[in-house]
mmCIF file of all heavy atoms in Angstrom:
data_model
loop_
_atom_site.group_PDB
_atom_site.id
_atom_site.type_symbol
_atom_site.label_atom_id
_atom_site.label_comp_id
_atom_site.label_asym_id
_atom_site.label_seq_id
_atom_site.Cartn_x
_atom_site.Cartn_y
_atom_site.Cartn_z
ATOM 1 N N PHE L 185 4.021 7.614 -15.467
ATOM 2 C CA PHE L 185 4.546 6.981 -14.257
ATOM 3 C C PHE L 185 3.457 6.116 -13.618
ATOM 4 O O PHE L 185 3.676 4.959 -13.255
ATOM 5 C CB PHE L 185 5.010 8.063 -13.271
ATOM 6 C CG PHE L 185 5.486 7.543 -11.934
ATOM 7 C CD1 PHE L 185 6.769 7.046 -11.780
ATOM 8 C CD2 PHE L 185 4.647 7.566 -10.824
ATOM 9 C CE1 PHE L 185 7.212 6.573 -10.554
ATOM 10 C CE2 PHE L 185 5.079 7.099 -9.593
ATOM 11 C CZ PHE L 185 6.368 6.598 -9.456
ATOM 12 N N HIS L 186 2.264 6.685 -13.523
ATOM 13 C CA HIS L 186 1.170 5.965 -12.859
ATOM 14 C C HIS L 186 0.673 4.782 -13.694
ATOM 15 O O HIS L 186 0.222 3.779 -13.147
ATOM 16 C CB HIS L 186 0.058 6.951 -12.492
ATOM 17 C CG HIS L 186 0.523 7.982 -11.504
ATOM 18 N ND1 HIS L 186 0.710 7.686 -10.180
ATOM 19 C CD2 HIS L 186 0.912 9.267 -11.659
ATOM 20 C CE1 HIS L 186 1.173 8.766 -9.549
ATOM 21 N NE2 HIS L 186 1.307 9.733 -10.433
ATOM 22 N N ASP L 187 0.779 4.914 -15.035
ATOM 23 C CA ASP L 187 0.444 3.764 -15.898
ATOM 24 C C ASP L 187 1.414 2.620 -15.621
ATOM 25 O O ASP L 187 1.032 1.450 -15.569
ATOM 26 C CB ASP L 187 0.568 4.143 -17.386
ATOM 27 C CG ASP L 187 -0.575 5.048 -17.820
ATOM 28 O OD1 ASP L 187 -1.664 4.960 -17.221
ATOM 29 O OD2 ASP L 187 -0.370 5.857 -18.750
ATOM 30 N N THR L 188 2.689 2.972 -15.444
ATOM 31 C CA THR L 188 3.694 1.943 -15.183
ATOM 32 C C THR L 188 3.493 1.318 -13.814
ATOM 33 O O THR L 188 3.709 0.119 -13.642
ATOM 34 C CB THR L 188 5.121 2.541 -15.291
ATOM 35 O OG1 THR L 188 5.137 3.472 -16.344
ATOM 36 C CG2 THR L 188 6.153 1.476 -15.549
ATOM 37 N N VAL L 189 3.073 2.132 -12.834
ATOM 38 C CA VAL L 189 2.776 1.582 -11.500
ATOM 39 C C VAL L 189 1.695 0.512 -11.642
ATOM 40 O O VAL L 189 1.812 -0.595 -11.097
ATOM 41 C CB VAL L 189 2.296 2.700 -10.533
ATOM 42 C CG1 VAL L 189 1.724 2.096 -9.251
ATOM 43 C CG2 VAL L 189 3.433 3.649 -10.198
ATOM 44 N N ARG L 190 0.649 0.824 -12.436
ATOM 45 C CA ARG L 190 -0.452 -0.131 -12.596
ATOM 46 C C ARG L 190 0.033 -1.413 -13.276
ATOM 47 O O ARG L 190 -0.281 -2.515 -12.824
ATOM 48 C CB ARG L 190 -1.569 0.515 -13.426
ATOM 49 C CG ARG L 190 -2.737 -0.420 -13.578
ATOM 50 C CD ARG L 190 -3.851 0.229 -14.366
ATOM 51 N NE ARG L 190 -5.015 -0.637 -14.409
ATOM 52 C CZ ARG L 190 -5.800 -0.748 -15.465
ATOM 53 N NH1 ARG L 190 -5.555 -0.057 -16.566
ATOM 54 N NH2 ARG L 190 -6.831 -1.566 -15.426
ATOM 55 N N GLU L 191 0.819 -1.250 -14.343
ATOM 56 C CA GLU L 191 1.376 -2.443 -15.015
ATOM 57 C C GLU L 191 2.195 -3.265 -14.027
ATOM 58 O O GLU L 191 2.162 -4.490 -14.027
ATOM 59 C CB GLU L 191 2.264 -2.041 -16.191
ATOM 60 C CG GLU L 191 1.476 -1.617 -17.416
ATOM 61 C CD GLU L 191 2.324 -0.766 -18.364
ATOM 62 O OE1 GLU L 191 3.566 -0.890 -18.351
ATOM 63 O OE2 GLU L 191 1.716 0.052 -19.102
ATOM 64 N N GLY L 192 2.944 -2.558 -13.163
ATOM 65 C CA GLY L 192 3.755 -3.224 -12.139
ATOM 66 C C GLY L 192 2.891 -4.052 -11.206
ATOM 67 O O GLY L 192 3.173 -5.229 -10.968
ATOM 68 N N TYR L 193 1.844 -3.449 -10.703
ATOM 69 C CA TYR L 193 0.954 -4.173 -9.785
ATOM 70 C C TYR L 193 0.382 -5.425 -10.446
ATOM 71 O O TYR L 193 0.309 -6.495 -9.831
ATOM 72 C CB TYR L 193 -0.197 -3.279 -9.336
ATOM 73 C CG TYR L 193 0.085 -2.464 -8.091
ATOM 74 C CD1 TYR L 193 -0.078 -1.079 -8.090
ATOM 75 C CD2 TYR L 193 0.479 -3.070 -6.903
ATOM 76 C CE1 TYR L 193 0.147 -0.324 -6.948
ATOM 77 C CE2 TYR L 193 0.711 -2.321 -5.758
ATOM 78 C CZ TYR L 193 0.540 -0.951 -5.791
ATOM 79 O OH TYR L 193 0.765 -0.219 -4.648
ATOM 80 N N LEU L 194 -0.056 -5.287 -11.707
ATOM 81 C CA LEU L 194 -0.677 -6.435 -12.384
ATOM 82 C C LEU L 194 0.350 -7.562 -12.577
ATOM 83 O O LEU L 194 0.030 -8.747 -12.449
ATOM 84 C CB LEU L 194 -1.306 -5.992 -13.708
ATOM 85 C CG LEU L 194 -2.529 -5.066 -13.528
ATOM 86 C CD1 LEU L 194 -2.968 -4.457 -14.860
ATOM 87 C CD2 LEU L 194 -3.693 -5.811 -12.871
ATOM 88 N N GLN L 195 1.579 -7.141 -12.837
ATOM 89 C CA GLN L 195 2.670 -8.116 -13.000
ATOM 90 C C GLN L 195 2.957 -8.833 -11.661
ATOM 91 O O GLN L 195 3.111 -10.056 -11.617
ATOM 92 C CB GLN L 195 3.910 -7.333 -13.448
ATOM 93 C CG GLN L 195 5.042 -8.162 -13.979
ATOM 94 C CD GLN L 195 6.224 -7.257 -14.347
ATOM 95 O OE1 GLN L 195 6.052 -6.075 -14.669
ATOM 96 N NE2 GLN L 195 7.424 -7.790 -14.267
ATOM 97 N N ILE L 196 2.998 -8.060 -10.579
ATOM 98 C CA ILE L 196 3.285 -8.625 -9.248
ATOM 99 C C ILE L 196 2.151 -9.550 -8.809
ATOM 100 O O ILE L 196 2.390 -10.602 -8.213
ATOM 101 C CB ILE L 196 3.508 -7.481 -8.226
ATOM 102 C CG1 ILE L 196 4.750 -6.664 -8.604
ATOM 103 C CG2 ILE L 196 3.652 -8.008 -6.803
ATOM 104 C CD1 ILE L 196 4.719 -5.245 -8.095
ATOM 105 N N ALA L 197 0.901 -9.157 -9.137
ATOM 106 C CA ALA L 197 -0.259 -9.989 -8.781
ATOM 107 C C ALA L 197 -0.148 -11.364 -9.442
ATOM 108 O O ALA L 197 -0.526 -12.380 -8.863
ATOM 109 C CB ALA L 197 -1.552 -9.291 -9.185
ATOM 110 N N LYS L 198 0.400 -11.379 -10.673
ATOM 111 C CA LYS L 198 0.586 -12.665 -11.373
ATOM 112 C C LYS L 198 1.677 -13.499 -10.718
ATOM 113 O O LYS L 198 1.652 -14.731 -10.765
ATOM 114 C CB LYS L 198 0.969 -12.404 -12.836
ATOM 115 C CG LYS L 198 -0.219 -12.048 -13.681
ATOM 116 C CD LYS L 198 0.030 -12.381 -15.156
ATOM 117 C CE LYS L 198 -1.090 -11.836 -16.013
ATOM 118 N NZ LYS L 198 -0.676 -10.709 -16.859
ATOM 119 N N MET L 199 2.662 -12.810 -10.089
ATOM 120 C CA MET L 199 3.764 -13.533 -9.445
ATOM 121 C C MET L 199 3.320 -14.172 -8.123
ATOM 122 O O MET L 199 3.903 -15.148 -7.675
ATOM 123 C CB MET L 199 4.934 -12.578 -9.165
ATOM 124 C CG MET L 199 5.632 -12.106 -10.417
ATOM 125 S SD MET L 199 6.741 -10.704 -10.090
ATOM 126 C CE MET L 199 8.010 -11.482 -9.112
ATOM 127 N N PHE L 200 2.315 -13.555 -7.467
ATOM 128 C CA PHE L 200 1.842 -14.060 -6.167
ATOM 129 C C PHE L 200 0.330 -14.273 -6.202
ATOM 130 O O PHE L 200 -0.411 -13.628 -5.459
ATOM 131 C CB PHE L 200 2.189 -13.070 -5.044
ATOM 132 C CG PHE L 200 3.645 -12.720 -4.922
ATOM 133 C CD1 PHE L 200 4.154 -11.545 -5.473
ATOM 134 C CD2 PHE L 200 4.522 -13.557 -4.237
ATOM 135 C CE1 PHE L 200 5.496 -11.210 -5.358
ATOM 136 C CE2 PHE L 200 5.869 -13.228 -4.115
ATOM 137 C CZ PHE L 200 6.363 -12.053 -4.680
#
Side-chain angles (χ1 to χ4, degrees):
F185 176 81
H186 297 285
D187 287 332
T188 322
V189 169
R190 182 179 185 217
E191 283 159 25
Y193 271 126
L194 292 170
Q195 194 182 333
I196 296 154
K198 281 205 188 110
M199 291 167 68
F200 304 98

